[in-house]
């Protein structure tokens, strides 16, 4: 004999609860998709902007000890690379140079920092020589392996040594430029591969 007892009717509160759960699950699915498709190759972004940036202790190309405190008071463009980089690093630094040229005298109101991911080869002397080909505002930072690793960890940057068939090695690394505000807080990645005048105009908003 089949049980024909009717199911209890769902009240308005039950229906509202089910709809809320459905929306929550759907929203989480959309969020996961956004995170998946916006994750940059060759590195990772932190789960929140405040998690990018932070304490570091390095040495600039003149031999001066520097820390995150040296970047306070001005907006900063921070880029990780290395002097033996065949194309990406010099291209990025040239593009940044064009943007700084567009800023004119305001270029000194911006910190631009090139942090090496290859401290074994990138001495202060080599950084100084290498950066001589670009805008004078750009500073190079290096340090011990441990210091550089700590700086990369602070910025959620990535680097990996890749052996070459002919001997030696190159570095696979994060290639985007970080824009930090005057308080050292992460704003966004900064596209330097666009029209220099437009990029300079965008950067002026943070001076």
């Amino acid at each position: 004999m089949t049980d024909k007892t009717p199911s209890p009717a769902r009240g308005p509160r039950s229906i509202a609860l089910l709809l809320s759960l459905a929306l929550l699950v759907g929203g989480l699915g959309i969020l996961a998709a956004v995170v998946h498709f916006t994750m940059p190759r060759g590195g990772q972004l932190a789960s929140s902007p405040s998690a990018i940036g932070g304490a570091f202790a390095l040495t600039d190309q003149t031999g001066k000890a520097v820390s995150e405190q040296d970047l306070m008071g001005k907006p900063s463009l921070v880029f990780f690379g290395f002097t033996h980089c065949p194309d990406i690093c010099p291209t990025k630094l040239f593009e940044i140079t064009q943007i700084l040229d567009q800023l004119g005298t305001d270029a000194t109101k911006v910190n631009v920092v090139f942090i090496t991911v290859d401290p074994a080869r990138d001495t202060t002397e080599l950084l100084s020589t290498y950066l001589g080909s670009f805008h004078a505002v750009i500073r190079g930072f290096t340090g011990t392996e441990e210091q550089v690793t700590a700086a990369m960890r602070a910025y959620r940057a990535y680097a990996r040594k890749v052996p070459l068939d002919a001997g030696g090695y190159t570095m696979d690394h994060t290639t985007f430029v970080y824009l930090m505000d005057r308080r050292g807080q992460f704003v966004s990645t900064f596209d330097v591969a666009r029209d220099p005048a437009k990029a300079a105009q965008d950067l002026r908003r943070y001076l």
Side-chain angles (χ1 to χ4, degrees):
M1 182 174 180
T2 304
D3 184 0
K4 297 186 179 294
T5 304
S7 299
R10 298 186 183 275
R13 293 182 61 184
S14 298
I15 294 173
L17 178 60
L18 289 173
L19 287 174
S20 298
L21 289 172
L23 288 172
L24 176 61
V25 171
L28 290 174
I30 292 171
L31 176 62
V34 171
V35 171
H36 175 75
F37 286 108
T38 58
M39 190 70 71
R41 296 182 63 185
Q44 61 182 10
L45 287 177
S47 57
S48 65
S50 62
I52 297 178
F56 62 80
L58 296 168
T59 304
D60 74 8
Q61 77 272 24
T62 69
K64 176 186 174 184
V66 290
S67 73
E68 73 284 354
Q69 294 301 317
D70 291 272
L71 305 184
M72 297 300 176
K74 298 179 182 180
S76 301
L77 295 178
V78 180
F79 175 58
F80 287 83
F82 65 116
T83 62
H84 289 71
C85 181
D87 45 31
I88 293 175
C89 298
T91 298
K92 293 274 188 184
L93 290 170
F94 175 71
E95 291 166 343
I96 292 172
T97 292
Q98 290 183 305
I99 295 169
L100 293 172
D101 286 340
Q102 288 291 323
L103 287 176
T105 56
D106 282 341
T108 58
K109 299 178 182 179
V110 182
N111 296 308
V112 182
V113 179
F114 176 71
I115 302 179
T116 183
V117 297
D118 185 19
R121 293 185 294 192
D122 286 344
T123 61
T124 55
E125 294 81 9
L126 183 54
L127 277 175
S128 180
T129 300
Y130 181 74
L131 293 177
S133 300
F134 305 102
H135 199 283
V137 163
I138 303 174
R139 302 168 69 189
F141 290 179
T142 187
T144 65
E145 291 279 354
E146 293 77 13
Q147 288 173 325
V148 169
T149 297
M152 287 193 295
R153 187 179 299 116
Y155 281 86
R156 301 300 188 267
Y158 162 89
R160 180 175 65 89
K161 186 180 292 187
V162 180
L164 298 173
D165 293 338
Y169 65 90
T170 188
M171 300 294 292
D172 182 21
H173 63 94
T174 300
T175 61
F176 44 81
V177 178
Y178 301 88
L179 171 61
M180 315 297 288
D181 68 17
R182 289 179 291 180
R183 298 171 301 162
Q185 298 295 309
F186 175 72
V187 177
S188 67
T189 56
F190 194 77
D191 179 12
V192 299
R194 52 184 158 150
D195 178 73
K198 292 182 179 178
Q201 182 179 13
D202 189 20
L203 191 55
R204 285 183 191 276
R205 296 163 46 206
Y206 300 94
L207 297 183

